Amino acid sequence: MKLEGLTLAAGNRVLVRDLSLEIRRGQVLGLLGASGGGKSLTVMAMLGLLPPGVRQVAGRVTLDGQEVDPARLRGATLGLVQQSPRGCFNPLVSIGRHFRETLSCEGLRGAEAERRAAALLHETGFADPRAILALYPSQMSGGMLQRTMLALALARDPAFLLADEPTTDLDLVVQARILDLLETLARRRGLGVLLVTHDLSVLARLADDVAVMEGGRIVDGAPVQDFFAAPRHPRSRALLAAHLALHGEALP
């Protein structure tokens, strides 16, 4: 799947300019950059979910060489995992109902939908998934909600997963579990993953390739090993230097 020539604007201000990415099945592409650089807007544009006031000036999404309407990709082709999972659930609705509404898009209802929901929750690490279906979001921890969001993102068996800062609000132990789970699911299912992050540790843990974003543009791209061994662009070097400094190291 490719995103080609994306340009986004708000009023007279260009937020993302001529951005192109390719997500390959079975591989993880890390989209790296500082906060406010346009990473999340890029993800929302791929789903046709831009916020009010932001418009798409140019660009297209293609799947197997054919241009597609981003709105038609949601769920069935593209799954989405966002940061801040607590804000992504309706607090007045049980987890079971979240699944029933999602699975109804696939024509699954009743006992069949419950079995499918339980299987997805088991796949994302819940030992007693049917008990989870009876809970409300307020009864669950952030890590539990993030695993549940991942299960929902996989409910319609998408070929690609957009993971937008999926570990930002989690403690380090839970972060590690979520990253292990993402890696396992991506490899087992052959998912193409766009992993949006500003954390180079997350990038090193999961990504096959890296695209570096600055000021709404892609300024660098490389296999992850090359990025860490010999970053080429000044922005890449600055990000890596800052990361290493936090760990008491320096660029080679």
Side-chain angles (χ1 to χ4, degrees):
M1 186 180 72
K2 293 181 180 180
L3 176 63
E4 301 176 350
L6 179 68
T7 297
L8 304 175
N12 294 323
R13 182 186 175 199
V14 176
L15 305 175
V16 173
R17 187 185 300 275
D18 195 25
L19 184 147
S20 296
L21 295 170
E22 181 176 6
I23 311 171
R24 299 181 176 91
R25 289 177 172 87
Q27 296 191 0
V28 178
L29 172 63
L31 182 58
L32 175 68
S35 298
K39 303 187 303 298
S40 293
L41 281 178
T42 298
V43 169
M44 291 298 102
M46 294 178 73
L47 295 165
L49 292 173
L50 289 172
V54 178
R55 69 186 190 281
Q56 182 169 329
V57 177
R60 65 177 192 159
V61 175
T62 63
L63 183 64
D64 298 326
Q66 301 296 314
E67 184 172 359
V68 290
D69 178 0
R72 299 185 64 181
L73 298 178
R74 297 176 205 157
T77 302
L78 279 176
L80 174 65
V81 178
Q82 296 175 274
Q83 57 182 307
S84 305
R86 198 166 299 281
C88 298
F89 288 83
N90 184 339
L92 303 179
V93 170
S94 70
I95 297 301
R97 182 170 169 184
H98 281 87
F99 275 96
R100 287 194 297 273
E101 291 179 355
T102 300
L103 291 169
S104 68
C105 297
E106 294 295 297
L108 299 181
R109 292 177 175 81
E112 188 178 9
E114 185 174 349
R115 284 193 295 271
R116 174 67 171 152
L120 288 161
L121 287 168
H122 185 267
E123 188 177 8
T124 55
F126 289 101
D128 188 2
R130 292 187 186 275
I132 298 298
L133 293 172
L135 297 179
Y136 285 79
S138 61
Q139 297 174 290
M140 301 171 70
S141 69
M144 293 171 70
L145 286 172
Q146 193 65 293
R147 284 188 285 153
T148 301
M149 187 191 301
L150 182 54
L152 282 165
L154 298 174
R156 300 182 65 192
D157 199 24
F160 301 94
L161 187 67
L162 307 180
D164 187 3
E165 302 277 9
T167 61
T168 295
D169 289 344
L170 306 176
D171 66 48
L172 291 177
V173 173
V174 178
Q175 281 187 33
R177 291 174 180 166
I178 295 295
L179 292 176
D180 287 344
L181 180 58
L182 275 170
E183 181 179 41
T184 298
L185 291 170
R187 304 309 179 199
R188 180 191 299 158
R189 287 171 168 258
L191 292 170
V193 180
L194 179 64
L195 176 65
V196 177
T197 187
H198 63 274
D199 187 335
L200 271 71
S201 298
V202 171
L203 197 71
R205 175 70 178 79
L206 283 184
D208 297 295
D209 297 285
V210 183
V212 180
M213 195 168 180
E214 181 181 26
R217 295 174 179 265
I218 298 296
V219 296
D220 198 6
V224 68
Q225 298 91 339
D226 294 346
F227 172 83
F228 281 97
R232 297 174 299 184
H233 191 274
R235 185 57 180 167
S236 299
R237 292 196 293 272
L239 289 167
L240 183 55
H243 172 75
L244 293 174
L246 288 174
H247 296 83
E249 302 176 39
L251 281 174

